[in-house]
Structure formats: structure tokens, C-alpha cells
């Protein structure tokens, strides 16, 4: 029996302690690990995680190819490549001292479909298929085609056996489950009743076949012609006739790649952020992987916030800020009273402004270039610089309030993570600290890989030591 996600299997590569911290380096160093699939909801850092894992594995001696289906081209930019296409490109700047290499490619959905047609049809039939308008629409944008072609390309790369490790960045779909569902949907369409009906005249053969089917087909084709348009229906029938010998191959290859994903040597990494929606999607995906008997290695939790002063709770920080604010207000009131009691700017008789008469200094002889006594009296007193204790208090109050907001954020992230681990205590987790900016180059990817590895290295007793700093104290 094939083990479900989370169950041990001596033939599967180890990804760390069950329910502990995900150990990334042992997973990547294990020669039995041949495919790593990064999956999860959109916008959680799948592409960056896949690239960082590929780079780290290459610099540890593996020959790696990273396959991305993300059209945003972030992978190409971070790897210093002008453009990625359907052919693996070697990445420069990788430390190859350990004997590894890193290649990267971006799925070209239509080109992959064209390659399948060219590989499984004779030249004349392949030319007819490639020129068919319905095929051009199907290969460019039919629902599920991208995900199906991603699995086709994965199967091609694995069959070539040129790389020790294939890292797959799954498509940015509304639902992460599309990667597993869409190939089946496309296969069902190609093997469906409508396609078989449209293929029936060609299978019966010639005019005799058309006469035989004419009575039964006329009503249906007439209705389809009105619905789809006569030209579109003819394009579909021409496409189906030309593809007749290939339809079974789509289903066969999809099934073979699906079994490859279930086999030992494949590891799924669910990528998420410490947000309620992202972790809810991750939990659902973990359950789906288990139901489909897919090998789950663990959860990568990106953008986790931390604090070096986690011992100071939000409540204590706010209380200290309020105390300092109250002290500042009291000092300000006392300073105002002292200002009124001592020398100050007051209104004199006749609308004249100056110092109090009882405190006015004696007149002194004027020096050349010095202001007159009258001008000196009219000058306002200098405003004190806010560098004294009151300015420092205001700065401290602002920092304390910022710290309180950070601790509240940490507490929310911890509660969200705790809910996930309560539902799936068997899933190892690696936390990656939030970075101040986006990752633009190999150095940034290298940093992400090091943080991923550090998360597993910090687990020295089967516990779950976070990689993003000390967690907030429990209430």
C-alpha cells in the first residue's frame, strides 16, 4: 500500500521529524529526492521558494533544473537571465565548487503542446493540426491546458534523466488544487462524449459512414452549428479527425505523470504565509495531497515576523508609553506655569511688547554693530531645541507604540499557525523571516535558502524552534 502524506516510508527521502521542523538540507542532499513540487495559494512566495531551493541544491552538488509556470518572469530576473523559455538555460553566478549546476526554464504552454503534436503525429498530420484554428485556441488558452502542459513538461524532463533534481513552481491559479485537477479535466474533455461523437463519421469511414450517421447526426450538428457557428464546428471536426490517433496518448501520459508524482523520490512542499486565507488553503491542500497519496515533505511558512524584544508584551509597551506621555504632559504644564511666573513676553501699556519692567536689565552703552536695547527687547526668546528629555520621551513613546503593534502582529501570526498545527500536527514546518524588500538576485535567493536551512538546523530536540526570532509570550 502506498503511504499517505505524513506516513513514514523507508523508500521516501526524509524531510525531517514528523510534526517538527522541516529539515530542508537533508531533503535536498538525499539522492533519492528527484522532484520537488512547490505549491500553494497565489502570492505566498512559491516562485521565490522554488528558486531558492534550486540554487541551494545546486551549490550543494546537485544538477538542478527549476521549471516555473509563473508568467511574471520574477524567476528570470532574480537569476540574472534576460528571458526564460521552453528550453532549460544555465544560470551564471552559481557556486559550482561542489560539482552542481543550476538550470532554469519557463513553461511555454503552446510550444509544449506543439512539441507533443510533432512527436506523436506524422509530418502531414502534424502540419494540419498546427494550422487548425480550433487547435490554436485550445493550445493557447483552454482551461486546464497550462496545468496539463506543466505535467507534460515535467514528464519530459524526468524521462531525459539529465538532472539530479527537478524543482517545479506550480501555476499561479485561483486554487492550488488546479495543478492536480486540470490535467484530468483536459483528459476528460479529450476523451469525452462530444469528441467521440464528432470523431464518429471519420471512424465509420467515407460517404457510407456519413449516410449511416446522417439521420442521427443532422439534428445534433445543426444545433451545434447554430450554437457554435458553422465554421467553428467544421474546425472542431477537422481537429478531432486529425487528432484521432493522439487522444489516447494524452490520457496515458497524464496518468503516467500523476503516478510519477505519487512515487518515492517526489516531495511536495506546501508554501504559505502566516495569514488566515493562505493557511486555510494550505490545510486544504495538505488534506488533498493525503487523499491522493501524494508525498508531502512539509510546509514552508514565508514572511514570518519576529522581534528581538519579544519579552516586552504589547500591553506592557502601551502602559509604558502612556506613563511617559502622562509625565510629558505634566512637565509641560509645570513649564508653562514657570514661564508665566518668570521673565516672559507680556503686553505693556500702550501696546508695547517687551520684558516685565521689574525684571528689565539696566541699559548698557551701545557697542558698534550691536542691536539697540529696544531691538533686543523686541526679539522673541529662542525656542528650546527638542533634544532634551522631553524630545527623548516623545521618541520613546513612538517606539513603544510601534513595538506594541509588532507584538500584536506576532500574536496574530502565532494563533493562525497554531490553528494549522492543531489540525495537522504531523506536518513539519519551516518558517522564513520576512525580508525588508523583494528578492532581486542570486544573493537574495541564497539568503532565502540559508534561512530555510536554518529553520531545520535550529531544531535540536524535536521541538519547533522558529527561524524568525523569538515568538511572543503566551498569555
Amino acid at each position: 500500500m502506498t503511504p499517505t502524506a505524513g506516513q513514514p516510508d523507508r523508500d521516501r527521502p526524509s524531510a525531517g521529524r514528523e510534526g517538527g521542523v522541516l529539515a530542508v538540507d537533508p531533503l535536498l542532499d538525499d539522492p533519492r529526492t528527484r522532484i520537488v513540487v512547490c505549491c500553494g495559494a497565489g502570492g505566498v512566495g512559491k516562485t521565490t521558494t522554488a528558486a531558492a531551493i534550486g540554487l541551494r541544491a545546486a551549490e550543494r552538488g546537485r544538477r538542478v533544473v527549476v521549471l516555473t509556470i509563473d508568467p511574471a518572469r520574477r524567476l528570470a530576473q532574480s537569476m540574472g537571465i534576460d528571458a526564460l523559455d521552453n528550453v532549460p538555460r544555465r544560470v551564471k553566478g552559481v557556486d559550482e565548487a561542489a560539482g552542481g549546476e543550476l538550470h532554469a526554464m519557463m513553461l511555454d504552454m503552446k510550444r509544449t503542446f506543439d512539441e507533443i503534436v510533432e512527436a506523436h503525429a506524422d509530418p502531414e498530420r502534424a502540419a494540419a493540426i498546427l494550422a487548425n484554428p480550433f487547435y490554436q485556441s485550445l493550445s493557447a488558452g483552454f482551461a486546464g491546458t497550462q496545468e496539463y502542459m506543466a505535467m507534460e513538461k515535467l514528464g519530459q524532463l524526468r524521462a531525459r534523466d539529465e538532472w539530479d533534481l527537478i524543482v517545479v513552481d506550480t501555476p499561479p491559479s485561483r486554487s492550488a488544487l488546479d495543478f492536480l485537477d486540470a490535467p484530468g479535466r483536459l483528459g476528460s474533455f479529450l476523451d469525452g462524449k462530444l469528441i467521440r461523437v464528432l470523431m464518429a463519421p471519420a471512424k465509420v469511414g467515407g460517404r457510407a459512414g456519413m449516410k449511416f450517421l446522417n439521420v442521427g447526426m443532422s439534428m445534433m450538428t445543426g444545433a451545434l452549428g447554430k450554437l457554435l457557428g458553422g465554421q467553428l464546428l467544421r474546425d472542431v471536426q477537422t481537429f478531432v479527425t486529425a487528432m484521432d490517433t493522439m487522444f489516447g496518448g494524452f490520457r496515458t501520459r497524464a496518468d503516467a505523470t500523476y503516478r510519477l508524482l505519487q512515487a518515492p523520490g517526489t516531495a511536495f512542499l506546501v508554501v504559505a504565509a502566516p495569514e488566515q486565507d493562505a493557511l486555510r488553503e494550505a490545510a486544504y491542500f495538505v488534506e488533498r495531497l493525503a487523499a491522493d497519496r501524494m508525498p508531502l515533505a512539509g510546509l514552508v511558512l514565508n514572511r514570518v515576523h519576529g522581534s528581538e524584544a519579544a519579552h516586552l508584551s504589547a500591553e506592557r509597551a502601551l502602559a509604558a508609553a502612556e506613563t511617559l506621555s502622562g509625565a510629558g504632559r505634566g512637565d509641560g504644564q509645570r513649564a508653562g506655569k514657570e514661564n508665566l511666573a518668570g521673565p516672559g513676553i507680556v503686553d505693556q501699556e500702550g501696546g508695547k511688547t517687551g520684558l516685565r519692567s521689574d525684571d528689565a536689565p539696566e541699559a548698557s552703552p551701545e557697542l558698534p554693530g550691536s542691536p539697540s536695547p529696544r531691538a533686543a527687547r523686541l526679539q522673541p526668546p529662542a525656542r528650546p531645541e527638542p533634544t532634551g528629555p522631553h524630545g527623548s520621551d516623545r521618541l520613546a513613546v513612538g517606539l513603544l507604540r510601534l513595538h506594541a503593534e509588532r507584538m500584536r502582529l506576532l500574536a496574530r501570526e502565532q494563533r493562525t499557525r497554531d490553528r494549522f498545527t492543531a489540525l495537522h500536527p504531523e506536518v513539519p514546518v519551516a518558517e522564513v523571516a520576512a525580508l525588508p524588500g523583494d528578492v532581486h538576485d542570486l544573493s537574495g535567493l541564497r539568503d532565502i535558502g540559508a534561512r530555510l536551512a536554518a529553520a531545520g538546523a535550529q531544531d535540536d530536540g524535536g521541538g519547533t524552534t522558529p527561524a524568525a526570532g523569538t515568538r511572543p509570550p503566551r498569555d
Side-chain angles (χ1 to χ4, degrees):
M1 177 179 176
T2 305
T4 60
Q7 291 181 334
D9 180 2
R10 64 175 179 268
D11 294 326
R12 292 201 186 282
S14 173
R17 298 176 179 87
E18 183 172 326
V21 172
L22 173 64
V24 174
D25 280 349
L27 177 70
L28 300 180
D29 293 343
D30 193 334
R32 294 174 298 174
T33 305
R34 302 300 304 274
I35 298 173
V36 173
V37 182
C38 296
C39 52
V44 296
K46 291 194 305 291
T47 300
T48 300
T49 300
I53 286 174
L55 176 61
R56 187 165 185 86
E59 294 188 334
R60 295 176 70 86
R62 304 292 299 272
R63 183 174 168 84
V64 185
V65 59
V66 178
L67 169 63
T68 182
I69 303 97
D70 187 349
R73 302 184 184 275
R74 287 188 298 268
L75 180 64
Q77 295 170 359
S78 63
M79 290 186 169
I81 300 176
D82 294 335
L84 291 176
D85 53 21
N86 219 38
V87 178
R89 305 289 180 187
R90 189 164 181 172
V91 179
K92 299 178 180 179
V94 177
D95 183 359
E96 299 178 352
E101 294 179 5
L102 178 62
H103 300 251
M105 62 181 298
M106 185 175 71
L107 178 73
D108 185 331
M109 179 175 62
K110 188 178 187 313
R111 183 58 200 149
T112 301
F113 212 147
D114 292 348
E115 290 173 355
I116 296 170
V117 172
E118 292 166 351
H120 295 89
D122 60 75
E124 183 178 353
R125 179 169 293 190
I129 294 172
L130 296 178
N132 184 272
F134 179 74
Y135 166 78
Q136 293 172 0
S137 299
L138 174 71
S139 60
F142 187 80
T145 304
Q146 184 184 52
E147 289 80 2
Y148 178 88
M149 291 305 149
M151 296 188 75
E152 280 276 358
K153 181 56 68 175
L154 173 61
Q156 293 175 9
L157 294 173
R158 186 67 181 87
R160 288 164 62 177
D161 203 26
E162 293 183 24
W163 293 277
D164 299 333
L165 179 64
I166 303 170
V167 181
V168 182
D169 166 35
T170 55
S173 309
R174 267 185 81 184
S175 171
L177 303 180
D178 287 350
F179 182 68
L180 298 178
D181 290 336
R185 288 201 302 268
L186 183 63
S188 297
F189 167 75
L190 295 177
D191 288 344
K193 293 180 180 179
L194 175 61
I195 296 296
R196 289 200 299 269
V197 169
L198 293 174
M199 283 178 11
K203 286 192 173 184
V204 174
R207 292 185 177 181
M210 290 303 295
K211 288 180 180 179
F212 178 77
L213 291 173
N214 186 56
V215 176
M217 290 284 292
S218 60
M219 292 182 63
M220 189 189 73
T221 55
L224 287 174
K226 291 179 181 178
L227 179 64
L228 303 176
Q231 184 60 47
L232 176 58
L233 182 60
R234 286 190 292 274
D235 291 340
V236 173
Q237 287 177 316
T238 303
F239 165 75
V240 169
T241 302
M243 293 280 286
D244 181 15
T245 58
M246 296 181 58
F247 282 126
F250 281 98
R251 171 73 72 176
T252 300
R253 287 191 300 277
D255 291 344
T257 306
Y258 201 82
R259 289 193 297 271
L260 178 64
L261 293 175
Q262 293 176 317
T266 299
F268 278 81
L269 289 176
V270 178
V271 184
E275 301 165 1
Q276 186 173 355
D277 291 342
L279 277 175
R280 185 187 297 115
E281 185 101 8
Y284 187 32
F285 200 59
V286 165
E287 293 163 5
R288 171 62 188 275
L289 288 172
D292 287 2
R293 302 183 185 279
M294 298 288 179
L296 174 64
L299 172 73
V300 175
L301 199 60
N302 285 328
R303 303 168 189 165
V304 177
H305 295 87
S307 174
E308 296 298 329
H311 59 279
L312 179 61
S313 67
E315 292 75 14
R316 290 176 58 200
L318 288 175
E322 186 63 25
T323 300
L324 285 175
S325 296
R329 285 194 296 270
D331 291 345
Q333 291 171 359
R334 288 193 296 273
K337 292 178 181 179
E338 292 171 359
N339 182 56
L340 291 175
I345 302 299
V346 296
D347 289 336
Q348 303 292 327
E349 295 179 0
K352 297 179 180 179
T353 304
L355 295 174
R356 293 178 185 271
S357 59
D358 55 348
D359 296 324
E362 296 181 0
S364 58
E366 297 184 19
L367 298 176
S370 64
S372 66
R374 176 178 176 80
R377 288 197 300 269
L378 292 177
Q379 289 180 356
R383 186 180 298 273
E385 295 293 331
T387 56
H390 300 305
S392 299
D393 287 351
R394 285 195 296 272
L395 178 61
V397 168
L399 291 175
L400 285 168
R401 287 174 177 165
L402 283 175
H403 177 75
E405 288 299 318
R406 170 57 65 94
M407 296 308 296
R408 286 171 173 170
L409 174 63
L410 265 63
R412 286 196 302 271
E413 291 182 355
Q414 185 66 43
R415 288 193 298 270
T416 305
R417 182 194 185 282
D418 287 346
R419 282 194 291 270
F420 175 86
T421 54
L423 287 172
H424 300 285
E426 78 286 356
V427 178
V429 179
E431 296 186 3
V432 181
L435 298 178
D438 294 333
V439 176
H440 305 105
D441 51 23
L442 288 178
S443 177
L445 293 176
R446 200 171 283 117
D447 185 24
I448 293 290
R451 290 168 184 260
L452 270 169
Q458 289 181 13
D459 182 22
D460 55 3
T464 55
T465 304
T470 308
R471 305 304 296 173
R474 301 299 181 103
D475 296 331

